[in-house]
Amino acid sequence: MRVFLNDRFVEETEAAISFDDRGFLFGDAVYEVIHLYQGVPYRLGPHLERLERSLAGAMMEPVDMSLITRVIEDLAGREGRGDPDAIIYIEITRGAAPRNHMFPGPDVRPTILLWCRSAPPPAEDRVEKGISVITVSDDRWAKCWIKTVNLLPNVMARERARRAGADDALFVRDGMVLESTASNLFIVTDGVLMTAPVTNYILPGITRATVLELAPRVGVPTKEEPFTVEQLMAADEVFLSGTTSEVLPVTTVDGRKLRAGRGPVAKKLKEALHEDVRREVAAGLRD
Ligand code: PDD
């Protein structure tokens, strides 16, 4: 597999990153994950805008987005072609310099890494049955809107879920359920779709925004409001949204089966999402 590192494409076996890299030493880096459907990057613009916001939020210098776009197009054309589902991963670190908490000088260039890998969406039987989640106290920092590689709380929460026999974990802060370790969270109550509002405490997901955009078109009203674990437990439907999870129903929370199971709203929204994907793929393949 060929990957892009800093200024060129190299074979993955040739790609070497310094042990002085600040991404490795401090988690001093931001990232993006973009879904390629049949080699076409879905919602590329919003992903790149979020990458720019993450860079600014992490006090990193802007990176030339036309370079990133060209690399994505190249990877998508070569590695993603013929694959119905793949992801492009982008990581930008503050670069390599002898370990010092202080930012390095302007002569230190960021490390830029992009690769493309096959990434099948959740299997249909998982979507059909719905997944199980646990709730965990949100011990992440207060800038969750920056898509940083500092994912220790996320990976530990996911491991706690695995050890509890569940698939994912939901972060709860001050009694409010926010999102999962790598997806946003929606509930449906009395026909209204609800998700936590965009604050410092969630990642403003691109799929979340897409779902909020598509819901009214399929006759589902939406509300961006905080909700509690009790509201989650009593909801008619619960589902996750994300670049890799798409629309993924949740049917068990903390070992308790929800009353709804996989509901009609999640089904409708997943269909609407795939319809939107088909439109973008058709437009992308025409270009
Ligand atoms: N995760 N919330 C968190 C904490 C996330 O890490 C992600 C994405 C999302 C969903 O965002 P989007 O719809 O833009 O993918 C919400 C990516 C996929 C990951 O870390 O692999």
Side-chain angles (χ1 to χ4, degrees):
M1 179 173 92
R2 267 170 8 121
V3 304
F4 182 85
L5 183 60
N6 296 328
D7 53 3
R8 64 202 148 100
F9 287 95
V10 289
E11 270 310 310
E12 68 177 299
T13 46
E14 308 288 308
I17 295 177
S18 166
F19 59 77
D20 274 335
D21 196 280
R22 295 179 63 93
F24 173 64
L25 291 175
F26 297 113
D28 192 357
V30 298
Y31 77 108
E32 268 301 323
V33 181
I34 302 170
H35 200 137
L36 288 183
Y37 291 94
Q38 291 171 46
V40 177
Y42 182 59
R43 302 252 158 164
L44 178 60
H47 278 283
L48 295 185
E49 283 158 25
R50 185 172 64 189
L51 180 60
E52 287 182 304
R53 284 200 302 279
S54 293
L55 286 166
M59 299 163 73
M60 288 167 74
E61 291 301 316
V63 164
D64 179 4
M65 286 298 147
S66 62
L67 165 76
I68 302 290
T69 305
R70 281 200 306 279
V71 173
I72 290 172
E73 280 165 2
D74 188 296
L75 283 173
R78 285 168 198 263
E79 312 284 339
R81 197 174 35 205
D83 195 334
D85 295 278
I87 54 163
I88 299 261
Y89 178 79
I90 311 171
E91 180 167 334
I92 302 175
T93 87
R94 207 181 303 274
R99 188 177 185 277
N100 186 330
H101 285 67
M102 207 135 57
F103 287 0
D107 50 316
V108 171
R109 303 307 307 148
T111 302
I112 302 177
L113 173 73
L114 287 94
W115 50 250
C116 172
R117 281 209 175 111
S118 191
E124 198 42 47
D125 64 319
R126 275 186 95 210
V127 178
E128 214 37 69
K129 260 181 51 210
I131 63 160
S132 67
V133 298
I134 58 167
T135 55
V136 297
S137 155
D138 192 352
D139 46 16
R140 297 175 299 166
W141 71 334
K143 287 185 185 170
C144 299
W145 58 273
I146 302 176
K147 203 159 167 54
T148 155
V149 301
N150 279 279
L151 292 171
L152 189 56
N154 305 55
V155 296
M156 286 174 68
R158 183 68 75 91
E159 176 60 14
R160 280 180 59 189
R162 191 190 67 79
R163 290 183 189 187
D167 301 298
D168 201 355
L170 303 179
F171 289 118
V172 180
R173 192 186 287 255
D174 299 330
M176 300 297 165
V177 202
L178 294 169
E179 61 178 341
S180 89
T181 61
S183 300
N184 291 111
L185 175 69
F186 285 85
I187 62 172
V188 181
T189 304
D190 298 332
V192 178
L193 185 62
M194 265 171 69
T195 191
V198 172
T199 62
N200 279 355
Y201 296 121
I202 67 163
L203 182 82
I206 308 302
T207 322
R208 173 189 178 280
T210 306
V211 166
L212 286 172
E213 179 190 312
L214 297 175
R217 293 198 213 155
V218 293
V220 180
T222 64
K223 252 202 296 200
E224 292 176 70
E225 261 179 33
F227 54 85
T228 62
V229 177
E230 291 69 38
Q231 282 173 286
L232 169 83
M233 290 297 195
D236 299 322
E237 282 184 52
V238 178
F239 63 86
L240 302 179
S241 77
T243 294
T244 44
S245 51
E246 298 189 326
V247 171
L248 185 58
V250 172
T251 46
T252 303
V253 178
D254 290 332
R256 269 172 55 195
K257 200 110 192 100
L258 298 178
R259 60 193 171 94
R262 187 199 186 187
V265 175
K267 195 164 191 293
K268 250 202 261 186
L269 287 168
K270 185 158 183 198
E271 278 163 15
L273 176 71
H274 279 178
E275 182 58 42
D276 196 62
V277 165
R278 278 194 292 277
R279 231 182 9 83
E280 248 191 53
V281 168
L285 292 177
R286 264 200 310 276
D287 290 346

